[in-house]
Amino acid sequence: MGKALLYFMLFVCITLLMIGCGMLLAGFIVGQGLYDCVGIARNEVVIFVVMLMGVLWSLGTCWLFVHNRFGSFSWGNLDASRRFSVVALSAVLFIAVDVLAFWCHHLLAPFSDEYTQLMSLYRSHPIITLLTLVMMYVTVQTVFLSSILRQLLSSLRHHWVALMIVAVAVALPNLQEGAVGMVMFLFAVASGLIEGWLYLRTRSIWPAVVGPVVGDYVLWMALGNTPWRWMGVASMVMIPLVLWLLHRQLVRD
C-alpha cells in the first residue's frame, strides 16, 4: 500500500511540475515577444506549450517508472496466440463504451460550443490527435495499472477493492457538477474498472491502452456532434457480448 501511494505522489509531482514549467514557458514566450521569432501566433502559444510539455511529461514519466522497474511494458501472461484477439476485442469494447457515454451525454444535455470546437480541432489534426492519445494512455496505464494497481493487488485481500480504488482515482478528473458530470464520471469509473480487469487477467497494459485509444479516436473522428439513437442501443448490446467474449479468451490465464 505504501509503494502504491508513493507511485501516485510521484506521478502527481511530475504532472504538477510539467504544468508549472508550461505556464512559465508560455509566459516567457508571450512576455518577451519571442513567439514572433519562432513563427508561433500569440493564440497558438498555449497549444504549442501543452504539446511540448505533454511529450516531455510522457517520455519522462514512462522512462522513470520503467527504468526503475516501478512499471512494465511487457505482455505479461498473455501468450502470442491470443494477443490479437484480446486487443481487437478490447478496441471494440471501448468503442461501444465511448459511443454509449457520448449518446447518454447527448440525451442529457446539448454539447457546449467549447466541446464542439474541441472536436473540430481534433478532427482537423488526426495524426497529432492519435499520437496524443497513445502518449496519454501509455503513460497513465503504466503508472496506474502496472505500478499502482500491481502494488495494491499484492497488498489487499480483495482484488475488487484495488480495482475500485484505481478506477475512481483515474476517473476523478471527469467529476463535474450536475447530472451530466455525474454520468460521465460513472462512465469513467466503469472504463477504469474494465481497464483494471484487463490488466488483472493479462498483467499487461497493452489491451488497456489500445482499447481506449481506438475508442476515443473513433469517437472523435467519426461521430460528429449528433449520435444516432441506434448507436446507443447497439452499444448496450455490444458491451456485455464483448465482455463475455473477452472472458472466454482470458479465462485460461
Side-chain angles (χ1 to χ4, degrees), residues 89-155:
L89 286 170
S90 299
V92 174
L93 175 61
F94 279 95
I95 290 174
V97 171
D98 283 359
V99 168
L100 183 58
F102 190 67
W103 184 62
C104 289
H105 189 297
H106 178 71
L107 289 179
L108 291 171
F111 295 107
S112 64
D113 292 338
E114 291 80 6
Y115 181 87
T116 303
Q117 293 172 4
L118 185 61
M119 291 298 104
S120 178
L121 179 63
Y122 289 153
R123 286 193 290 272
S124 63
H125 299 86
I127 303 301
I128 294 176
T129 297
L130 179 60
L131 293 177
T132 302
L133 282 171
V134 172
M135 175 186 69
M136 179 183 69
Y137 277 109
V138 167
T139 305
V140 171
Q141 307 298 37
T142 298
V143 174
F144 281 90
L145 296 186
S146 69
S147 300
I148 296 175
L149 179 58
R150 178 168 57 89
Q151 289 299 324
L152 290 176
L153 290 173
S154 64
S155 303

Side-chain angles (χ1 to χ4, degrees), residues 3-15 57-73 138-148 150:
K3 285 186 176 181
L5 182 59
L6 176 64
Y7 295 154
F8 178 75
M9 294 304 299
L10 181 60
F11 174 75
V12 171
C13 289
I14 294 172
T15 303
W57 167 78
S58 181
L59 293 176
T61 304
C62 287
W63 179 86
L64 179 64
F65 275 78
V66 175
H67 177 74
N68 292 285
R69 298 183 179 179
F70 301 156
S72 172
F73 284 163
V138 167
T139 305
V140 171
Q141 307 298 37
T142 298
V143 174
F144 281 90
L145 296 186
S146 69
S147 300
I148 296 175
R150 178 168 57 89

Side-chain angles (χ1 to χ4, degrees), residues 43-84:
N43 60 350
E44 294 177 340
V45 169
V46 173
I47 296 176
F48 170 77
V49 171
V50 166
M51 290 178 59
L52 176 61
M53 291 299 106
V55 171
L56 294 177
W57 167 78
S58 181
L59 293 176
T61 304
C62 287
W63 179 86
L64 179 64
F65 275 78
V66 175
H67 177 74
N68 292 285
R69 298 183 179 179
F70 301 156
S72 172
F73 284 163
S74 77
W75 280 101
N77 57 21
L78 186 60
D79 57 80
S81 64
R82 285 177 291 160
R83 287 176 188 172
F84 176 79

Side-chain angles (χ1 to χ4, degrees), residues 96-250:
V97 171
D98 283 359
V99 168
L100 183 58
F102 190 67
W103 184 62
C104 289
H105 189 297
H106 178 71
L107 289 179
L108 291 171
F111 295 107
S112 64
D113 292 338
E114 291 80 6
Y115 181 87
T116 303
Q117 293 172 4
L118 185 61
M119 291 298 104
S120 178
L121 179 63
Y122 289 153
R123 286 193 290 272
S124 63
H125 299 86
I127 303 301
I128 294 176
T129 297
L130 179 60
L131 293 177
T132 302
L133 282 171
V134 172
M135 175 186 69
M136 179 183 69
Y137 277 109
V138 167
T139 305
V140 171
Q141 307 298 37
T142 298
V143 174
F144 281 90
L145 296 186
S146 69
S147 300
I148 296 175
L149 179 58
R150 178 168 57 89
Q151 289 299 324
L152 290 176
L153 290 173
S154 64
S155 303
L156 299 175
R157 179 179 301 178
H158 301 291
H159 288 175
W160 67 268
V161 176
L163 292 176
M164 182 60 71
I165 291 174
V166 172
V168 171
V170 174
L172 279 177
N174 296 276
L175 185 59
Q176 300 176 16
E177 295 181 358
V180 175
M182 182 56 65
V183 169
M184 293 302 102
F185 172 73
L186 293 177
F187 269 107
V189 171
S191 296
L193 288 173
I194 295 172
E195 293 162 12
W197 173 72
L198 288 171
Y199 178 79
L200 178 64
R201 300 303 304 173
T202 64
R203 299 293 172 163
S204 170
I205 67 169
W206 298 113
V209 168
V210 176
V213 166
V214 173
D216 284 354
Y217 193 72
V218 169
L219 180 72
W220 294 351
M221 293 295 116
L223 289 188
N225 299 315
T226 308
W228 295 320
R229 182 177 300 177
W230 68 265
M231 289 183 177
V233 177
S235 296
M236 288 189 285
V237 176
M238 287 295 297
I239 290 172
L241 175 62
V242 178
L243 280 172
W244 178 76
L245 292 173
L246 271 170
H247 173 73
R248 290 288 301 272
Q249 287 290 317
L250 299 174

